[in-house]
């Protein structure tokens, strides 16, 4: 993982991340499993809570970013087993859908579509249960990072709709979420992708259709209401 421009080369970078984190940044994380293959999954990285934006003035250091795993996932187990993984920032919605919605494994940890990556140490700091699902929060500290490519920032509503759709689709069979509401959201996201997305966004959403069959479920529920 030595390719690309190192994170330390970015002006003003003092926290080890190769990109600016703000709010919750949706990423793909690779973690090494017991089969010596890298498992890929979606992971929302929460930017450090710095209060006034200047870091922790009492200690002179920036607090770590965090992420929460939900359920007894491969990511959670591998974090415990290996103590970290590789966070990747991707701009291809198809790669995000595969990571978020399938069991996706490879021999190497960095996707070809990653614009930047950070190898991180993951430390568990809290855990609990919500709606019958166990969760665990981790502090993430980069130990190595690089920018593979830079490009102008663009806004595509279709891309955002794909990301939101993976969240709704992943909750379809979770008892604490209303199925009709989730199907309505997916219908809205599908319309947004069709109107505003490009070829990659449409391919990504077609993959969600294939993996979940949500359109057939929505049609069946509509027929039941007549």
């Amino acid at each position: 993982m030595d390719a690309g421009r190192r994170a330390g080369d970015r002006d003003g970078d003092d926290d080890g991340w190769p990109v600016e984190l703000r709010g919750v940044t949706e990423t793909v994380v690779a973690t090494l499993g017991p089969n010596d293959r890298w498992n890929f999954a979606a992971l929302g990285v929460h930017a450090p809570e710095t209060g006034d934006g200047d870091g922790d003035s009492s200690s002179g250091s920036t607090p770590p970013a965090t992420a929460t795993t939900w359920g007894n996932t491969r990511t959670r187990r591998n974090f415990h087993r290996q103590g970290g993984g590789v966070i990747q920032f991707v701009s291809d919605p198809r790669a995000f859908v595969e990571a978020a919605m399938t069991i996706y494994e490879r021999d190497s940890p960095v996707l070809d579509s990653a614009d930047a990556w950070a190898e991180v140490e993951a430390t568990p700091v809290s855990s609990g249960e919500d709606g019958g699902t166990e969760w665990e929060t981790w502090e993430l500290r980069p130990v190595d990072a690089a920018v593979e490519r830079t490009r102008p920032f663009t806004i595509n509503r279709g891309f955002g709709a794909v990301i939101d759709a993976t969240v709704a689709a992943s909750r379809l069979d979770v008892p604490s979420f209303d199925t009709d509401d989730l199907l309505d959201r997916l219908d809205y996201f599908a319309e947004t992708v069709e109107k505003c997305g490009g070829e990659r966004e449409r391919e990504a959403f077609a993959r969600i259709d294939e993996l979940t069959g949500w359109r057939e479920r929505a049609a069946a529920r509509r027929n039941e209401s007549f």
Side-chain angles (χ1 to χ4, degrees), residues 11-90:
D11 292 341
D13 179 19
D14 60 0
D15 59 6
W17 290 98
V19 300
E20 177 189 4
L21 300 178
R22 66 186 191 280
V24 181
T25 301
E26 299 298 335
T27 74
V28 171
V29 61
T31 53
L32 188 61
N35 59 354
D36 289 328
R37 287 174 60 81
W38 293 89
N39 179 79
F40 293 80
L43 189 70
V45 176
H46 295 244
E49 297 183 2
T50 59
D52 58 6
D54 295 326
D56 185 350
S57 58
S58 63
S59 64
S61 62
T62 302
T66 61
T68 300
T69 53
W70 292 83
N72 188 27
T73 61
R74 286 173 172 80
T75 298
R76 179 193 181 197
R77 298 195 300 271
N78 291 341
F79 269 174
H80 277 294
R81 184 181 296 111
Q82 300 291 341
V86 181
I87 302 290
Q88 296 159 76
F89 304 89
V90 301

Side-chain angles (χ1 to χ4, degrees):
M1 294 185 292
D2 290 329
R5 180 164 58 90
R6 312 312 295 182
D9 296 336
R10 187 165 64 86
D11 292 341
D13 179 19
D14 60 0
D15 59 6
W17 290 98
V19 300
E20 177 189 4
L21 300 178
R22 66 186 191 280
V24 181
T25 301
E26 299 298 335
T27 74
V28 171
V29 61
T31 53
L32 188 61
N35 59 354
D36 289 328
R37 287 174 60 81
W38 293 89
N39 179 79
F40 293 80
L43 189 70
V45 176
H46 295 244
E49 297 183 2
T50 59
D52 58 6
D54 295 326
D56 185 350
S57 58
S58 63
S59 64
S61 62
T62 302
T66 61
T68 300
T69 53
W70 292 83
N72 188 27
T73 61
R74 286 173 172 80
T75 298
R76 179 193 181 197
R77 298 195 300 271
N78 291 341
F79 269 174
H80 277 294
R81 184 181 296 111
Q82 300 291 341
V86 181
I87 302 290
Q88 296 159 76
F89 304 89
V90 301
S91 55
D92 188 335
R94 297 168 298 186
F96 189 88
V97 167
E98 289 299 321
M101 304 199 63
T102 71
I103 298 174
Y104 181 32
E105 295 182 330
R106 288 172 22 125
D107 292 329
S108 57
V110 178
L111 296 171
D112 294 338
S113 58
D115 292 337
W117 55 265
E119 183 180 356
V120 300
E121 294 178 344
T123 305
V125 291
S126 61
S127 61
E129 183 178 315
D130 186 359
T133 301
E134 293 183 354
W135 58 265
E136 193 160 8
T137 297
W138 306 79
E139 290 184 344
L140 305 176
R141 292 179 172 83
V143 296
D144 192 14
V147 176
E148 299 293 342
R149 62 184 64 86
T150 60
R151 64 187 80 197
F153 177 75
T154 60
I155 297 173
N156 183 320
R157 287 184 60 207
F159 182 90
V162 170
I163 304 305
D164 273 343
T166 63
V167 177
S170 69
R171 294 173 175 173
L172 276 174
D173 296 312
V174 179
S176 58
F177 291 94
D178 183 84
T179 299
D180 288 335
D181 180 53
L182 293 173
L183 292 173
D184 286 344
R185 292 187 199 179
L186 286 166
D187 189 56
Y188 172 78
F189 296 142
E191 182 179 0
T192 301
V193 168
E194 186 60 32
K195 289 182 177 179
C196 304
E199 181 179 354
R200 294 188 303 177
E201 285 76 29
R202 294 190 182 99
E203 289 180 3
F205 209 92
R207 183 65 168 145
I208 296 175
D209 294 347
E210 176 187 349
L211 291 168
T212 65
W214 73 269
R215 294 181 191 270
E216 292 79 4
R217 295 176 67 170
R221 293 179 84 88
R222 284 195 295 269
N223 291 335
E224 291 173 0
S225 65
F226 291 131

